[in-house]
Amino acid sequence: MSASQQTTHAEPARGLMERWLPAVAAIAFLIAFPFVADGYLLHVANISLIFILLAIGQNIITGYTGMLSLGHAAFYGVGAYTSALLTLRLGVSWPVAFLASGVVASIVGMLIALPCLRVRTDFLSLITIAFAQMFFVVANGWMGLTRGPMGLTGIPRISIGSWVAHNDISYYAVFACIVVVIYVAVQRILNSSIGRAWEMVRDDEVGALSLGVDVTYYKVLSFGVGTFLAGLAGSMFAHYIRFLSPDAFLLLESLIIMQMAILGGLASLPGSVLGAVLLISIPEALRSSEPLLITYRPGLAGALLVAMMIWRPQGILGRTRATPPIVRQISDTLRRLVGARPVANP
Amino acid sequence: MAYVIEQLINGLAVGSVYALIAVGYSMVYSILYLINFAHGDVITFGAFTALTMLVIGVPIPVALFLACVLGAALGMTVERIAYRPVRYANRIVPMISALGAGLVIASTAQAIWGPEVHAFPQVIPRWSFELFGQLIPFQPLIIIAIAVVLVTIATILLDYTRLGRATKCVCQDIHAAQLMGIPINTIVPLVYAIGGFLGVAGAVLYVTYFNAVYIQMGLLATFKAWSAAMLGGVGNFHGAFVGGLLLGIAEAFSVVVVGSAFKDGVSLVFIVLILLLKPDGLFGERTTARS
């Protein structure tokens, strides 16, 4: 959130209590969760944590910098395969492979995006879809490396030194720590001059240029950070599910990640968390009872996207002056619950 | 030599089809700076409708024309519902809305026709004739002819009528055009209608040529059409046509050089090369960034 927005929205001064309460509550919830949840819920939580990273990455690119990337799942896939292959073939330890997967995904992402971001950012959507298709063709066709559609099996569990994550609770602990660290780090970046530059590029590119903001640099940086997070999430996924096949990283998956970022609110970090949790847990809850709903999920999600763009482009947690009072009350309550600040209307 | 000529004709036929589809993207982008992601799904829907009409026995020309009209209507409907309310929002908003609209149309098509690949009846007979000792296939020539006729009609409509001039004004500056009394809420839907009509015509020719129609076709068509449009310069009607032809020929010959598996990669290579070397396209005019 830029400084100007904080002043224009005239937020009441926030006391120490108000400021730290949401964070403390969130941490307390994360710690208490495994004690009350059963195995299945824990699994859903682990998947949600992975997707929270993906949604945050997408939100940095789309919500904060205003670039439409439709290949997030492919960068997630690049990370997953990097990490799996490094540990399987070269015997690299997991923490190294984890960081390497983020770095590789980010480098690939920046190389893909560079020609496009230099001249026509709108076409990033096309380039990223094309990259996703190419990723699928390569992952599916390069039998020697990826074993193609048969998939990679026997990927080792997450291990740090001699400690091995042997059950869902240990995975949960690792994932929760990663997500908390990343969340705080991203929030710091967004509150810094980098975050303000991103939002300026989104809101007025020519204006940003005229004030000496290196627009291309910040766009590429944003894309690099977003894909870095996708790569990390890929590594988490690979060592959690321990089986990789190329069809886990299709365009549909990218669209779901996009929906998470939009549903919770573009340019809202708590929104990304909420969006990821909702879009993972709702289908899980419905899976057994409503097969039709799953079949037509893309169509329903599409209708939701159109409706959100028309009536609520700022997502569930955002708010504008034009918001009807009842919606404002609900969203204010929600915002207070998760400790969000006012959100820019993207 | 015979093989080269055959590939050339095939390439031209496929290229002219890409060009027809590209018009819908190119014109919409030049007016609103919106990548109309729903276009690919609109034309797939149109192709499926043509299939159904042909199966129940509607005469071929009538069925094809009705499918094109449906494409136009669908394009206008999508514009009214999904794009107009968000027309002046941040550019990312209408694009996401377009994605959503595309998903809805694709999902509806899947609900009606199912996810499997359908065979498309031979609308144009597969004859061939001999010319200078050369066997020339008949179908690609008809496809090229239909595309040329349609593009010529569209050109006349856009270059020599009041409506066309109004469209060009809106392309140049939508706000100024509105202030000058041009009814943009008539012109913009019209552009979608032209795009939908030509797009469905292109899609029907495409599925005739490849003899198959399926849901995900829209996505592939999106790419090919975009790279054709960018090759010719986005917003440039004739450029898109030439771009389509070039892409078609390049694809046809890439099959010879690197094999059919990488045929679909050609369009991507074109997009990247154009972005790197000449972002305004081969025939585009220099444009500055708009915010």
Side-chain angles (χ1 to χ4, degrees):
Chain A
M1 256 37 60
S2 72
S4 67
Q5 264 148 22
Q6 279 177 37
T7 50
T8 50
H9 277 265
E11 274 284 282
R14 289 153 70 93
L16 207 59
M17 185 69 183
E18 210 181 331
R19 197 163 154 178
W20 287 101
L21 193 63
V24 172
I27 301 281
F29 175 77
L30 278 176
I31 294 173
F33 185 77
F35 294 104
V36 291
D38 60 350
Y40 174 68
L41 264 182
L42 212 54
H43 172 73
V44 175
N46 282 343
I47 298 289
S48 301
L49 285 170
I50 295 174
F51 274 86
I52 286 173
L53 274 199
L54 289 167
I56 289 177
Q58 178 85 63
N59 214 343
I60 289 174
I61 299 172
T62 306
Y64 284 96
T65 325
M67 304 184 293
L68 196 58
S69 160
L70 295 175
H72 218 63
F75 298 110
Y76 173 48
V78 169
Y81 270 99
T82 307
S83 185
L85 290 172
L86 277 179
T87 48
L88 269 178
R89 301 279 155 89
L90 300 177
V92 175
S93 67
W94 177 74
V96 178
F98 176 64
L99 287 180
S101 60
V103 172
V104 169
S106 160
I107 290 174
V108 171
M110 287 192 281
L111 284 180
I112 297 287
L114 192 62
C116 183
L117 296 182
R118 268 179 63 238
V119 281
R120 292 217 159 146
T121 309
D122 291 353
F123 297 161
L124 182 69
S125 47
L126 297 167
I127 295 271
T128 46
I129 295 180
F131 171 71
Q133 305 284 86
M134 266 176 25
F135 171 76
F136 179 77
V137 170
V138 171
N140 211 30
W142 193 349
M143 298 299 279
L145 188 69
T146 65
R147 298 198 346 122
M150 293 182 301
L152 279 173
T153 50
I155 301 166
R157 290 173 174 277
I158 283 181
S159 59
I160 302 165
S162 59
W163 180 82
V164 180
H166 48 85
N167 56 17
D168 277 6
I169 291 192
S170 355
Y171 273 104
Y172 176 83
V174 176
F175 287 3
C177 289
I178 294 173
V179 168
V180 168
V181 169
I182 298 270
Y183 186 96
V184 173
V186 169
Q187 188 145 53
R188 300 296 296 164
I189 295 177
L190 291 173
N191 282 331
S192 73
S193 63
I194 298 174
R196 285 199 294 278
W198 283 343
E199 288 189 83
M200 178 148 202
V201 168
R202 176 195 69 202
D203 292 337
D204 189 346
E205 210 176 304
V206 178
L209 264 175
S210 72
L211 289 177
V213 174
D214 187 343
V215 169
T216 308
Y217 169 79
Y218 280 107
K219 281 180 183 168
V220 174
L221 184 67
S222 160
F223 201 76
V225 173
T227 47
F228 179 77
L229 297 187
L232 294 187
S235 171
M236 287 155 71
F237 176 79
H239 295 269
Y240 178 55
I241 302 294
R242 301 172 64 208
F243 170 77
L244 283 184
S245 73
D247 50 12
F249 310 106
L250 293 176
L251 180 66
L252 204 65
E253 206 71 12
S254 297
L255 289 177
I256 291 173
I257 299 167
M258 172 68 85
Q259 288 155 18
M260 290 170 177
I262 291 168
L263 184 72
L266 287 171
S268 159
L269 275 190
S272 294
V273 175
L274 183 72
V277 171
L278 282 182
L279 284 185
I280 290 294
S281 47
I282 292 176
E284 286 292 339
L286 294 175
R287 184 146 290 176
S288 51
S289 55
E290 290 288 340
L292 263 180
L293 244 129
I294 303 301
T295 315
Y296 296 112
R297 178 177 170 173
L300 289 172
L304 183 72
L305 281 191
V306 175
M308 297 271 307
M309 285 304 106
I310 295 174
W311 289 295
R312 209 159 169 78
Q314 72 278 29
I316 296 178
L317 293 181
R319 73 173 257 199
T320 56
R321 255 165 291 160
T323 314
I326 176 70
V327 180
R328 198 183 303 163
Q329 274 167 17
I330 294 171
S331 88
D332 271 2
T333 315
L334 275 171
R335 280 190 324 118
R336 221 169 291 129
L337 280 175
V338 296
R341 280 188 249 167
V343 174
N345 190 4
Chain B
M1 189 61 201
Y3 188 63
V4 169
I5 290 180
E6 195 190 320
Q7 286 299 325
L8 192 66
I9 292 175
N10 285 338
L12 283 174
V14 175
S16 55
V17 168
Y18 292 156
L20 282 179
I21 301 173
V23 171
Y25 287 111
S26 187
M27 285 181 66
V28 166
Y29 187 81
S30 66
I31 291 183
L32 298 169
Y33 289 81
L34 157 73
I35 295 181
N36 183 6
F37 285 107
H39 189 56
D41 299 304
V42 166
I43 65 174
T44 310
F45 200 92
F48 268 112
T49 320
L51 173 71
T52 303
M53 282 194 281
L54 289 175
V55 167
I56 60 171
V58 180
I60 292 172
V62 179
L64 299 192
F65 183 74
L66 283 180
C68 292
V69 170
L70 178 91
L74 204 53
M76 286 165 78
T77 314
V78 171
E79 191 272 341
R80 184 66 195 89
I81 294 174
Y83 303 157
R84 196 181 296 179
V86 294
R87 192 185 284 161
Y88 303 114
N90 187 314
R91 285 157 52 177
I92 202 129
V93 171
M95 278 199 226
I96 293 169
S97 187
L99 263 178
L103 283 176
V104 172
I105 296 171
S107 217
T108 313
Q110 188 172 342
I112 301 175
W113 290 287
E116 61 272 6
V117 177
H118 295 257
F120 200 81
Q122 287 301 301
V123 181
I124 308 165
R126 280 189 188 272
W127 300 325
S128 49
F129 56 91
E130 231 181 271
L131 191 73
F132 306 124
Q134 208 36 259
L135 213 59
I136 307 277
F138 180 69
Q139 196 185 28
L141 292 183
I142 292 293
I143 290 179
I144 297 170
I146 294 176
V148 168
V149 168
L150 284 175
V151 168
T152 312
I153 293 173
T155 307
I156 292 171
L157 195 71
L158 284 176
D159 281 357
Y160 298 103
T161 63
R162 242 176 103 78
L163 214 58
R165 277 197 295 277
T167 309
K168 282 187 176 167
C169 287
V170 177
C171 278
Q172 278 176 9
D173 190 332
I174 189 163
H175 299 288
Q178 194 169 21
L179 291 174
M180 296 300 128
I182 292 172
I184 55 168
N185 281 341
T186 314
I187 299 294
V188 172
L190 187 84
V191 167
Y192 280 90
I194 294 176
F197 190 94
L198 294 182
V200 171
V204 169
L205 293 177
Y206 185 83
V207 296
T208 315
Y209 187 76
F210 288 106
N211 199 8
V213 52
Y214 50 98
I215 302 284
Q216 283 84 13
M217 188 180 89
L219 189 68
L220 198 63
T222 301
F223 267 119
K224 305 293 177 71
W226 258 108
S227 93
M230 285 174 68
L231 204 56
V234 173
N236 183 328
F237 191 75
H238 305 104
F241 194 73
V242 180
L245 295 183
L246 282 177
L247 177 65
I249 295 169
E251 275 194 353
F253 283 102
S254 75
V255 175
V256 185
V257 181
V258 292
S260 60
F262 296 99
K263 191 187 80 176
D264 295 335
V266 173
S267 47
L268 176 66
V269 173
F270 269 27
I271 293 185
V272 172
L273 281 182
I274 282 286
L275 281 172
L276 282 176
L277 303 175
K278 206 166 180 319
D280 296 307
L282 297 177
F283 311 99
E285 287 154 23
R286 187 104 189 87
T287 49
T288 45
R290 250 204 235 179
S291 59

